[in-house]
Structures are given as C-alpha cells and as structure tokens.
Amino acid sequence: MAESILIVTEDPELLDDLLRLCAAAGAEAEVSHGPGESGDPPGERAWRSAGLVLVGADRAAALGEGAPPVPRRPGVLLVSRDLDDHRVWERAVRLGAEHVVFLPDGEGWLTGRIADAAEGVGRAALTVGVVGGRGGAGASTLACALALTAARRGVRSMLIDGDPLGGGLDVLLGGESAEGLRWPAFAESRGRVGARALEEALPAMHELRVLSWDRGDSLAVPPEAMRTVLGAARRRGGVVVVDLPRQLDEAVAEALVQLDIGLLVVPAELRAVAAARRVCSRLAMLLPDIRVVVRGPFTAGINADDTARLVGLPLVGELPPERRLAEAVDRGVPPGGAVDGPLARFCSGFWRQALSDDGRPGSVAA
C-alpha cells in the first residue's frame, strides 16, 4: 500500500526542493507549515501515519522543543540546505530524527528514501543465487524449483534469469508465450525502477513472477541494469531467486553483492569438485555466504559430506536425482512441480530453515 509523505517546513525554497523530489519519486506529499490553533503538533494525525516525515531545519527546533514536543516515531528526516548550520545536529537529536540530509548533495539518497516510503517498502526479500559448479550441474532446475516451492508456500516470489546463454527460464517453466516484459526491456534501466511496477510488468508463471530472456539476440545485461532491477525486486519483499552463470562478469558481480546466500550445485564426482573449486574461488570475492548442494547420483567412494569438504564449503544438503524430470518438463510440469518428488522435498526443507513461520525472511543456519 502506498504511503504519503509529510513535509513540515515554512522555508519556500526548501519546500520547492522537497516537492520536486517527491514528484520525482512518484510520491504524494502533504504539507504542514506550522502548529494549529490548539497548539498541537502540526498535522498530528499525519505525523503519526505518514510513511516518511521530512522536517525542514527551520521547524526542527519548535517541533523538538515544543510543549509538548512531537511524539517520537521512526522515519523522521531533518532536511537542511545550510552545511554551516552546526545546530542542526542538536535539533535532530531533540526531534528524534533518523538522519540529517543536506541538499543538494543528498538529493539522490533522499529521493530513494522517499520512493521506498511511497512504495511501503518493508523488509528486503531474502535473495538466493544458484550457480552450477560445472556445466550441466542443474543450477537452473534448482533455481526454478526453489522459486516455485516458495510461491507454493504463499510467499511472494520472483525468479530472475541471470544467464543469457541458459536458454531462458520461461522455457523451462513452460511459459515462453506468457505475456510480460523480458530482460531486453530493462537493458537501459538506470537509477531506480519501482518495485511494484517491476512485479506487475513481468510474466506470471505458476504463481510467481519471472524475469527471463526473449528469443532475440541480446546476450548481455549491463551492470547498471542488473543493479537497478535486482534492487527493485528485493524491495518488493518475500523471496528472490537468481539463476547465475559460472562466468563472472560485471553484471554477475552486481548480482552477487545483493545476494544473501549463494548455492553452488555440485554433482558428486571428482571432476565436478575440481571445477566447483575454481568457480567458488571467484564467487567468494564478492559473496561471503556460499554453500554446497550436492547432486546425485553418488559414485562409489564419494558422498555429500566428502564433496562439500573437498570444495571447502558448508553443506546445505543432498539433492537426489528425480526420475523422468525432463519428460515431466516436456509435459508442462515445471521443476519442483511434483510435490512429492525429491526436488520439491529438498526445496521445502531449505525454505523451512530459510523462512520464519509467517513467511518473512529469517535466519538460515549454515
């Protein structure tokens, strides 16, 4: 639900600046210039209910030291245009402001903060990246199954295809003809994309939103677009699953720094272990939390614990092979669609640890 922005100032130049920033962020603003006849704080009801309160330095002293002062609440920012006003910090403390913002230097940050409040942004999505330890490890299959399983739990879920050479996750989900935007539509994205607008623009497949590739010749995501789009997806909350290639380029690097957890899918074989160690050495430069999912079948003499130990990462669990998975996908059953299959059971177990009982992101034990 969109939230209003309350502006409290009598400085006409500052008011013009703040109204301009609210308009740029797509936010509705309510302006309160001063106390009412009763002497109550200005716009008391709006003060308590607004998604964000922007207090001009000219009004900060009166609000923070009034009789009585305005109630303390989160989401109050003190805004000033005077870098030399050292009293602004004392006023911010008395007011209970979270931040002091100086314009024009802080315009970019403040616009983003206003947009967050206008969108009703809460806790960021738990963002999980899936990477294959070697080619054909099954990372895309696991990414699809994780997103689908989270959606089946009633969690807002988004699946992002970060591998332009992977063939398209919409195809794997049987939704290549689904209406909605694909990556090329976002290639020029810069600055900020609205979280709600992104979600509504993407194709809906199996109760989740999917950002995949079209069938055109576009083979790259500019790093700025990856940063912008993934940031918007995370602000929407719930769960975001990103399928990533093994090659580390600038766009992949932008995705890695926004991940909470990385899952490295490693078949239980020595050659895969050797390849996975090389992949891990590159990922670890940008993503501190990487864990191993060991995929069967298991060869003689090497099990899941051995595989994780040889790769040098904590083990999430074993992923047994699922019989006739390819045939099921050809029939329109997506990976993880068979609720009683080993893939769905693995994903359900992962989310039980990763999500709290109310479906919001929680802690995940390594």
Side-chain angles (χ1 to χ4, degrees):
M1 179 178 178
E3 301 281 356
S4 64
I5 309 300
L6 175 63
I7 300 174
V8 185
T9 184
E10 294 178 357
D11 181 335
E13 292 185 15
L14 180 60
L15 178 59
D16 286 345
D17 285 339
L18 295 179
L19 288 174
R20 173 174 53 82
L21 296 181
C22 286
E28 295 185 2
E30 177 180 345
V31 180
S32 179
H33 297 283
E37 294 180 359
S38 65
D40 291 334
E44 184 172 359
R45 179 176 297 177
W47 178 274
R48 294 181 181 275
S49 63
L52 189 69
V53 179
L54 308 178
V55 177
D58 63 300
R59 294 293 301 148
L63 294 179
E65 301 169 14
V70 292
R72 295 293 181 103
R73 54 150 291 170
V76 175
L77 307 182
L78 197 161
V79 188
S80 176
R81 301 173 71 249
D82 185 1
L83 284 169
D84 296 324
D85 182 7
H86 301 295
R87 295 173 300 172
V88 71
W89 304 103
E90 180 181 351
R91 293 170 182 167
V93 172
R94 292 179 182 273
L95 185 62
E98 291 183 357
H99 295 280
V100 175
V101 186
F102 290 98
L103 302 182
D105 293 351
E107 284 193 359
W109 182 89
L110 183 55
T111 302
R113 188 70 175 81
I114 292 170
D116 283 347
E119 290 181 348
V121 173
R123 191 181 303 185
L126 178 63
T127 307
V128 179
V130 187
V131 185
R134 66 154 169 79
S140 297
T141 297
L142 178 58
C144 289
L146 283 169
L148 179 63
T149 307
R152 199 156 49 215
R153 288 173 57 98
V155 180
R156 175 183 283 119
S157 302
M158 188 177 295
L159 176 63
I160 295 180
D161 189 349
D163 185 358
L165 299 178
L169 294 184
D170 55 349
V171 176
L172 192 56
L173 290 167
E176 58 268 32
S177 61
E179 293 185 2
L181 300 182
R182 266 67 173 180
W183 260 121
F186 298 96
E188 302 302 321
S189 297
R190 300 289 188 276
R192 184 183 180 89
V193 171
R196 185 178 292 107
L198 173 66
E199 182 180 50
E200 292 174 353
L202 297 181
M205 304 176 195
H206 306 284
E207 301 180 346
L208 59 100
R209 297 285 178 163
V210 181
L211 176 54
S212 188
W213 297 87
D214 63 8
R215 310 283 81 83
D217 297 329
S218 178
L219 296 176
V221 178
E224 296 85 356
M226 178 64 78
R227 178 170 60 248
T228 297
V229 170
L230 186 51
R234 297 184 73 240
R235 289 195 306 273
R236 196 67 176 129
V239 161
V240 176
V241 180
V242 188
D243 180 31
L244 293 169
R246 291 179 297 134
Q247 296 77 19
L248 182 60
D249 59 18
E250 291 185 8
V252 174
E254 289 289 352
L256 290 173
V257 298
Q258 296 197 54
L259 298 181
D260 297 303
I261 305 169
L263 299 181
L264 186 64
V265 184
V266 185
E269 56 187 45
L270 290 177
R271 288 188 62 190
V273 167
R277 287 177 62 89
R278 291 192 292 272
V279 174
C280 178
S281 67
R282 295 193 294 270
L283 299 179
M285 294 186 293
L286 296 169
L287 177 60
D289 191 349
I290 312 173
R291 308 173 191 188
V292 170
V293 176
V294 181
R295 183 174 67 81
F298 296 92
T299 59
I302 182 170
N303 57 30
D305 290 327
D306 294 332
T307 303
R309 177 178 53 80
L310 290 171
V311 175
L313 294 174
L315 175 66
V316 172
E318 302 177 9
L319 184 57
E322 184 156 338
R323 295 181 58 193
R324 299 177 178 173
L325 178 62
E327 297 176 16
V329 170
D330 289 340
R331 295 196 309 271
V333 179
V339 178
D340 296 328
L343 186 56
R345 291 198 303 269
F346 173 89
C347 294
S348 294
F350 175 80
W351 291 127
R352 276 196 297 271
Q353 294 184 43
L355 298 173
S356 59
D357 292 340
D358 63 357
R360 293 174 62 83
S363 60
V364 185

